[in-house]
Amino acid sequence: MKFTVDQEVIKDVLKKMSKLLNGKSSIPIYSGVLVQTREDCILFTGSDGTESMIHRVPVADGIAGVDAVGSSVFLKDCLEVAKKLKGLITFEVTNTSLMITQDKTELSYGVLEASDYPKVAVEPNSEPIVFTGQEFKELVNKTAFAASTSEVRPILTGINMKFTPEGNVFVATDSHRLGKMQFGESKKELNITVPSGTLEYALKSFDLSNEVLVFPSELQIAFANGNTILYTRLIEGNFPDTSRLIPTQSEFSLVLSRQELLDSLDLLATMTKNSVVKLSAGTLFIKLSAKGDTSKGSKEIVFESYDGEEGFDIAFSAKYVSDALQAMTSSSIKIQFNGAMKPFVIEPVGETPKELQLILPVRAA
Amino acid sequence: MKFTVDQEVIKDVLKKMSKLLNGKSSIPIYSGVLVQTREDCILFTGSDGTESMIHRVPVADGIAGVDAVGSSVFLKDCLEVAKKLKGLITFEVTNTSLMITQDKTELSYGVLEASDYPKVAVEPNSEPIVFTGQEFKELVNKTAFAASTSEVRPILTGINMKFTPEGNVFVATDSHRLGKMQFGESKKELNITVPSGTLEYALKSFDLSNEVLVFPSELQIAFANGNTILYTRLIEGNFPDTSRLIPTQSEFSLVLSRQELLDSLDLLATMTKNSVVKLSAGTLFIKLSAKGDTSKGSKEIVFESYDGEEGFDIAFSAKYVSDALQAMTSSSIKIQFNGAMKPFVIEPVGETPKELQLILPVRAA
């Protein structure tokens, strides 16, 4: 096998695959990159056993050329070093040894057998669901943060995706809060749960000026973007039915500036190191207050509208509300309450409410 | 005590003092900032017991105003929170409580007694040695990295400063390498050793578009920059006489591009994870080579001149040479050798050699 690529190609492969290559897989070969040269392209494959990525570099003058087809597994280190060279770099594998050359530099490395590299994924054959880069970004950003980080209930570490002809629904919850997004529709029905980490990884490694093609199936899901495909195994188990949690009506409703609420929560949470903030509704404004061991603070925010009882108090985790507000983009938001101990709902104002954030209050100290 | 300052003032104080306030001093009051208001200024003092900083904010319209003189020790947290407010912030201390107000925000904190705050430094009364910001930066950058990071011989963790009417000499060494810089002269003679960390801290917190005034004495040293003074205790003990280490003549001398050597060492060191690199002198170029467990590499560099024996080999730590080259700024450098097992000297080409880097070679594998 022999091929030549520009240093930028190596940089790009390493950037996209670093999460996989630095993974703590117990299978040593996963710390390498499977490199396959064909007449018209070079394929780079990285995997940690659960997630896998295939990146295709087409042959192009001055960027990538193939002199001899073949396949081999390169150690991550040799790509890390090749990244430090400039311009076109030649890789040649003879027996179990790789020679990297560029101008007056010669580096030699051992390689692993391509035949030892596990088959990483099943080629997707269904019709994809197509998102713009921006849509895909919103889908992930408005749900993934609400997924659980605890492995006690693995199913809650994922984003549940319900594909139906009536509309696709994406939900994540750690049982204290929930992020939900509706988007597009699908020809076939499917209810699967995808690791939220994979979606965040896709966001980081994809070029979002291109479309994202989603290929869901019952065993795995694939996300394609430009010349890159990211595969992951699904999380097994049944995702809880969250629809019963979401109230269909509300007693009180408050409209205010998202940024102002976010800044105030940040201030009070930093101040008191106690992440519980109390909200009290007044005639013209709401008052947010918090207490720490040696400090206390309060801040008033003038609301845009409040339809409810004066003197209504509710306490909540500043972090959970901040996370939800940060995931949102509208300048005004609407909070709907159903009493001090019932979950409340935050939705954007002035947009079709395809997005919903739900938060459970806490008992005030 | 009551005063008003712009948020930018608080940000600035915290930025300058964060190293001191986050220090692991066992004296709790050092986690606070001593604040003293006078008719014409506000003084902020931070310390960790060894290093101390006094920052003076003069009264100025729209930036800082004093309503009542007094003094108090503010907890670091309350400044961290005040930093999140915008525009002018009012601080008022009554008894043991601090009220921070700004628009519709009210925060209250406990404070500590100003009289409990230890006296941090002796006001400098000698005449200073004046450096431009750029000179001070060079002085630190070209020596501090060579200081030892091990506390086994504390004296080697400092930069030795010899002030004499014939010229000031600054030296740091960890006994494997040495960085030396000559600069200015002083009326009185003084031989002191200053913690290298303090100088690096000064570099970070100072505004180098202003001069740096150095007030050395036998007990402490003070560095003044704009409205900020940084004090530190000296390191006790005798700094070794390094002048005998530095060869006065050389057998072979090599001139080459600093950047090219730096890039090559970086490549080989990353590649082999073995930081020892071998240099072999040829007719037209030098060859650098290194070996790792599963890899080996070599790179040739065309030199500008070589005055010495062909086939001369020497091995050294890539890190030590890289550190030295990074501290230098000239485009070409001259390396002077006295044999494969003798220290070699790196100096800039085309500048008055007030700077010198010395490195001990290692035995090649």
Side-chain angles (χ1 to χ4, degrees):
Chain A
M1 180 172 74
K2 186 177 178 186
F3 66 96
T4 299
V5 288
D6 188 81
Q7 175 237 22
E8 290 295 332
V9 170
I10 301 298
K11 261 172 89 170
D12 199 31
V13 167
L14 280 172
K15 196 178 147 211
K16 282 180 187 288
M17 299 195 181
S18 68
K19 188 200 162 199
L20 301 175
L21 303 178
N22 295 322
K24 310 248 176 295
S25 169
S26 53
I27 303 174
I29 205 162
Y30 282 142
S31 66
V33 174
L34 172 67
V35 184
Q36 296 162 290
T37 51
R38 297 184 182 166
E39 295 283 333
D40 63 338
C41 70
I42 308 159
L43 291 172
F44 295 91
T45 303
S47 178
D48 63 6
T50 302
E51 294 171 336
S52 308
M53 183 181 274
I54 301 177
H55 181 63
R56 181 177 172 276
V57 179
V59 163
D61 268 0
I63 295 171
V66 173
D67 293 310
V69 298
S71 56
S72 181
V73 177
F74 291 4
L75 301 170
K76 181 187 59 171
D77 288 353
C78 84
L79 296 177
E80 290 285 358
V81 169
K83 195 176 75 168
K84 291 184 173 277
L85 299 171
K86 287 175 188 99
L88 286 173
I89 309 164
T90 301
F91 296 79
E92 184 168 11
V93 177
T94 34
N95 300 323
T96 58
S97 145
L98 163 67
M99 182 68 90
I100 306 174
T101 50
Q102 185 260 348
D103 193 25
K104 292 225 167 72
T105 308
E106 276 188 10
L107 311 173
S108 85
Y109 271 96
V111 290
L112 303 172
E113 277 291 336
S115 56
D116 292 342
Y117 200 86
K119 177 123 185 76
V120 295
V122 184
E123 198 81 10
N125 56 7
S126 61
E127 212 175 301
I129 299 155
V130 181
F131 294 92
T132 66
Q134 185 57 34
E135 285 168 347
F136 184 73
K137 186 177 162 188
E138 285 200 18
L139 188 165
V140 179
N141 280 347
K142 291 177 193 293
T143 56
F145 73 92
S148 174
T149 51
S150 147
E151 287 296 331
V152 175
R153 289 183 69 191
I155 194 80
L156 294 187
T157 63
I159 298 180
N160 180 246
M161 301 187 170
K162 259 189 215 145
F163 297 98
T164 73
E166 291 79 45
N168 306 325
V169 182
F170 306 91
V171 174
T173 180
D174 63 4
S175 76
H176 302 290
R177 47 153 163 202
L178 174 151
K180 180 182 159 188
M181 189 75 186
Q182 284 172 273
F183 233 91
E185 65 270 323
S186 167
K187 277 181 199 161
K188 60 176 181 179
E189 298 221 8
L190 211 53
N191 184 341
I192 57 177
T193 304
V194 180
S196 62
T198 304
L199 288 154
E200 285 169 334
Y201 175 33
L203 259 201
K204 267 185 216 153
S205 54
F206 283 179
D207 170 4
L208 295 176
S209 64
N210 290 331
E211 285 179 336
V212 177
L213 278 60
V214 180
F215 300 87
S217 79
E218 269 154 48
L219 292 167
Q220 65 169 24
I221 188 165
F223 303 92
N225 171 262
N227 287 317
T228 308
I229 305 188
L230 176 64
Y231 297 87
T232 187
R233 281 202 213 149
L234 302 177
I235 304 180
E236 285 173 40
N238 290 321
F239 198 83
D241 179 14
T242 55
S243 60
R244 291 173 310 122
L245 268 178
I246 301 166
T248 47
Q249 53 185 42
S250 71
E251 277 185 53
F252 306 150
S253 125
L254 172 68
V255 176
L256 78 172
S257 151
R258 185 176 64 90
Q259 194 59 49
E260 225 177 316
L261 182 55
L262 198 50
D263 289 348
S264 306
L265 291 174
D266 180 35
L267 178 77
L268 293 175
T270 311
M271 174 181 184
T272 56
K273 285 182 186 159
N274 177 345
S275 67
V276 174
V277 167
K278 199 172 99 180
L279 180 154
S280 314
T283 330
L284 287 172
F285 50 80
I286 55 157
K287 184 172 173 180
L288 295 167
S289 51
K291 239 184 244 172
D293 290 344
T294 59
S295 59
K296 59 179 191 224
S298 68
K299 185 160 169 90
E300 290 169 7
I301 306 179
V302 176
F303 48 68
E304 293 171 28
S305 75
Y306 176 57
D307 170 16
E309 184 176 277
E310 203 175 310
F312 170 67
D313 282 1
I314 190 165
F316 48 78
S317 151
K319 182 182 178 328
Y320 287 174
V321 174
S322 291
D323 285 351
L325 295 175
Q326 254 152 357
M328 302 178 80
T329 44
S330 68
S331 68
S332 294
I333 49 140
K334 185 179 185 180
I335 312 184
Q336 289 171 292
F337 300 104
N338 274 300
M341 291 314 295
K342 296 265 177 67
F344 57 93
V345 167
I346 312 180
E347 282 178 322
V349 166
E351 293 173 29
T352 330
K354 54 188 180 183
E355 167 190 11
L356 177 147
Q357 303 291 344
L358 178 120
I359 290 157
L360 270 67
V362 297
R363 211 171 284 277
Chain B
M1 180 172 77
K2 186 177 178 187
F3 66 95
T4 298
V5 288
D6 188 82
Q7 176 237 20
E8 290 293 333
V9 170
I10 301 298
K11 261 172 89 170
D12 200 30
V13 167
L14 280 172
K15 196 179 149 208
K16 283 180 188 291
M17 299 195 180
S18 69
K19 188 199 161 198
L20 301 174
L21 303 178
N22 295 321
K24 311 248 177 294
S25 169
S26 54
I27 303 173
I29 205 163
Y30 281 143
S31 65
V33 174
L34 172 66
V35 184
Q36 296 162 289
T37 51
R38 296 184 184 165
E39 295 282 334
D40 63 338
C41 70
I42 308 157
L43 291 173
F44 295 89
T45 303
S47 179
D48 64 4
T50 302
E51 295 171 337
S52 308
M53 183 182 274
I54 301 177
H55 182 63
R56 182 178 172 275
V57 178
V59 163
D61 268 1
I63 295 171
V66 173
D67 293 309
V69 298
S71 56
S72 180
V73 177
F74 291 4
L75 301 169
K76 180 188 60 171
D77 288 353
C78 84
L79 295 177
E80 290 286 358
V81 169
K83 195 176 76 168
K84 291 184 174 276
L85 299 172
K86 286 175 188 98
L88 286 173
I89 309 165
T90 301
F91 296 79
E92 184 167 12
V93 177
T94 34
N95 300 323
T96 57
S97 147
L98 163 66
M99 182 68 90
I100 306 174
T101 50
Q102 186 260 349
D103 192 26
K104 292 225 167 71
T105 308
E106 277 189 8
L107 311 173
S108 86
Y109 270 96
V111 289
L112 303 172
E113 277 291 337
S115 56
D116 291 342
Y117 200 87
K119 177 124 183 77
V120 295
V122 184
E123 198 78 14
N125 55 7
S126 61
E127 212 175 300
I129 300 155
V130 181
F131 294 91
T132 66
Q134 185 57 33
E135 285 168 347
F136 184 73
K137 187 177 161 186
E138 284 199 19
L139 188 164
V140 179
N141 280 347
K142 291 175 193 295
T143 56
F145 73 92
S148 173
T149 51
S150 147
E151 288 296 331
V152 174
R153 289 184 67 192
I155 194 78
L156 294 187
T157 63
I159 298 179
N160 180 247
M161 300 187 170
K162 259 189 216 147
F163 297 98
T164 74
E166 291 79 46
N168 306 324
V169 183
F170 306 91
V171 173
T173 180
D174 63 4
S175 77
H176 302 290
R177 44 146 165 211
L178 174 150
K180 180 181 159 189
M181 188 76 187
Q182 283 172 274
F183 233 93
E185 64 270 324
S186 167
K187 278 182 197 160
K188 60 177 182 181
E189 298 221 8
L190 210 54
N191 184 340
I192 58 177
T193 304
V194 180
S196 62
T198 304
L199 288 154
E200 285 170 335
Y201 175 32
L203 260 202
K204 267 185 217 154
S205 54
F206 283 179
D207 171 5
L208 296 175
S209 63
N210 290 329
E211 285 178 337
V212 178
L213 279 59
V214 180
F215 300 87
S217 79
E218 270 154 48
L219 292 166
Q220 64 169 28
I221 189 164
F223 303 92
N225 171 262
N227 287 317
T228 307
I229 304 188
L230 176 65
Y231 298 88
T232 188
R233 281 202 214 147
L234 302 177
I235 304 180
E236 285 173 39
N238 290 321
F239 198 83
D241 179 14
T242 54
S243 59
R244 290 174 310 124
L245 267 178
I246 301 166
T248 47
Q249 52 184 42
S250 70
E251 276 185 55
F252 306 149
S253 125
L254 172 68
V255 177
L256 76 172
S257 152
R258 185 176 63 89
Q259 195 58 49
E260 224 177 316
L261 181 55
L262 198 51
D263 289 347
S264 306
L265 290 175
D266 180 35
L267 178 76
L268 293 175
T270 310
M271 174 180 185
T272 57
K273 284 180 188 160
N274 176 347
S275 66
V276 174
V277 167
K278 199 172 99 180
L279 180 154
S280 315
T283 331
L284 287 171
F285 50 80
I286 56 158
K287 183 173 174 179
L288 295 166
S289 50
K291 238 185 246 173
D293 289 343
T294 59
S295 58
K296 58 180 192 221
S298 68
K299 186 162 168 90
E300 290 170 6
I301 306 179
V302 177
F303 48 68
E304 293 171 28
S305 76
Y306 176 58
D307 170 17
E309 182 177 275
E310 202 176 311
F312 170 67
D313 282 0
I314 190 166
F316 48 78
S317 150
K319 181 182 179 330
Y320 287 174
V321 175
S322 291
D323 285 351
L325 295 175
Q326 254 152 357
M328 302 178 80
T329 44
S330 69
S331 68
S332 295
I333 50 140
K334 185 180 185 179
I335 312 183
Q336 289 170 293
F337 300 103
N338 274 301
M341 289 316 294
K342 295 266 176 66
F344 56 93
V345 166
I346 312 179
E347 282 178 322
V349 166
E351 293 174 28
T352 332
K354 54 187 182 184
E355 167 190 11
L356 178 148
Q357 302 292 344
L358 179 122
I359 290 156
L360 270 67
V362 297
R363 211 172 284 276

